[in-house]
Amino acid sequence: MDLLITNGTTNAKLSDKGIITTDFDESTASLSLNMKSFNGRNGKLNFGGNYSEKKLIYTGYMQVTSQSDYETKRNWIYQLLGSATAYYITPIYSDGAQYGFERPGQSTGNKLGQVGGIESNKRFYVTLDDTFVPELAGSVNNTQLYKLNISFVTAILPFGETKPKTMTIINSIPYAGTVKASQLEVPYYIQLVAQQAASAISLKIGSRTWTYSGTVASGDVFKIGGVYNLKNTLSVNDNTNLEYFILEPSIGSIVPVACSITATLEIHDYKELYL
């Protein structure tokens, strides 16, 4: 196992400094329900709820050969993870056979866990949830081991996210996420290039339908962003129903798409979200 930290254009793995990852756990996002009761009516009514944050716990060991080496590595990890600016963390797992790995010191010798690995399909935009300090755990073959217990909390969306994706839409959008992705929360947009003249457009994605009531010429380019609607770079909000799209989880992991005119459709910068 390993942990990849992405801050802007900078990428670093904890293993780059000889830090051994032994565990990475994520909670579900915390949920606040809006339940109300009324006089003269038994029970309560559910008015929905909101997800607030998701917590992630990292455990690992830092190897050092001397006190100066300890100070250098401690400063590096403090700088990497202690930033006041949020950053992405991505767990890296092994797809080896079950039980085909060992934790440090599990058997004999200086067994330092798995090597290589595959990046998870989801990452988390986080900051530290609390302070942390390396805790001396012992030594192996003249190398000191310091245990790291680090807590993270999501900074904006309380979900795991895939990297932004762009694709051409044929008749559906693949969506393997486990929670809804709304255009009001994830700023993806639909690009529609008309291939025919028309007096209006109706575009249905999932259970929501966007409409445009103006004239359409072949070659017109529409950009549908949820809170904005552009036609050939000019705003046409007044000619639309101001609808926004939501990609919803489904058994088949696809969101159906239907358009009333012949057009080329693309979805830009969308993410799959995981609870």
Side-chain angles (χ1 to χ4, degrees):
M1 297 180 68
D2 204 346
L3 195 66
L4 173 67
I5 290 83
T6 304
N7 197 339
T9 58
T10 302
N11 291 298
K13 294 180 181 178
L14 294 187
S15 60
D16 292 343
K17 292 291 184 180
I19 296 173
I20 309 155
T21 300
T22 59
D23 202 6
F24 183 84
D25 289 322
E26 58 173 293
S27 69
T28 59
S30 56
L31 178 62
S32 300
L33 292 175
N34 183 12
M35 306 284 287
K36 291 187 178 181
S37 58
F38 299 89
N39 291 335
R41 185 188 187 282
N42 294 320
K44 297 180 180 180
L45 293 180
N46 186 346
F47 289 90
N50 295 300
Y51 294 105
S52 56
E53 64 182 22
K54 185 182 187 78
K55 294 190 176 182
L56 307 111
I57 306 296
Y58 171 88
T59 305
Y61 288 88
M62 182 172 68
Q63 305 175 84
V64 303
T65 57
S66 64
Q67 282 301 296
S68 58
D69 185 35
Y70 167 76
E71 185 174 21
T72 298
K73 291 180 178 177
R74 182 190 62 187
N75 290 343
W76 178 81
I77 196 171
Y78 280 3
Q79 177 186 7
L80 186 66
L81 302 181
S83 171
T85 303
Y87 47 85
Y88 281 103
I89 59 173
T90 306
I92 298 176
Y93 301 110
S94 169
D95 268 352
Q98 190 174 17
Y99 309 120
F101 67 95
E102 293 184 17
R103 295 182 178 181
Q106 181 174 319
S107 57
T108 58
N110 191 17
K111 184 69 175 179
L112 299 180
Q114 299 158 280
V115 295
I118 299 172
E119 284 187 28
S120 171
N121 67 324
K122 60 184 178 181
R123 56 185 186 165
F124 307 90
Y125 195 56
V126 301
T127 59
L128 285 180
D129 188 34
D130 199 357
T131 59
F132 72 94
V133 61
E135 178 185 352
L136 181 62
S139 62
V140 177
N141 294 345
N142 297 320
T143 299
Q144 289 183 336
L145 293 178
Y146 286 82
K147 189 172 185 179
L148 299 172
N149 289 304
I150 306 172
S151 298
F152 301 97
V153 64
T154 47
I156 299 181
L157 289 177
F159 310 117
E161 316 169 12
T162 60
K163 294 178 181 179
K165 297 185 277 188
T166 295
M167 62 166 288
T168 299
I169 302 171
I170 304 302
N171 51 25
S172 63
I173 300 170
Y175 188 75
T178 59
V179 69
K180 298 177 182 179
S182 165
Q183 280 188 300
L184 302 185
E185 296 178 329
V186 182
Y188 60 89
Y189 66 92
I190 306 297
Q191 179 175 287
L192 184 155
V193 181
Q195 302 297 322
Q196 68 173 85
S199 59
I201 300 175
S202 173
L203 176 63
K204 185 175 183 180
I205 298 180
S207 60
R208 291 175 174 254
T209 302
W210 174 88
T211 59
Y212 171 72
S213 59
T215 59
V216 182
S218 180
D220 280 346
V221 179
F222 292 83
K223 188 174 180 180
I224 308 165
V227 295
Y228 63 87
N229 298 277
L230 305 179
K231 174 187 175 183
N232 301 327
T233 73
L234 298 178
S235 175
V236 289
N237 279 353
D238 291 344
N239 296 100
T240 74
N241 60 343
L242 296 177
E243 181 64 280
Y244 62 93
F245 295 119
I246 297 178
L247 304 179
E248 300 187 26
S250 66
I251 295 176
S253 297
I254 60 170
V255 180
V257 177
C259 186
S260 63
I261 68 169
T262 303
T264 301
L265 294 170
E266 294 178 352
I267 183 169
H268 289 252
D269 301 329
Y270 85 101
K271 303 175 183 178
E272 292 165 317
L273 303 182
Y274 293 85
L275 191 59

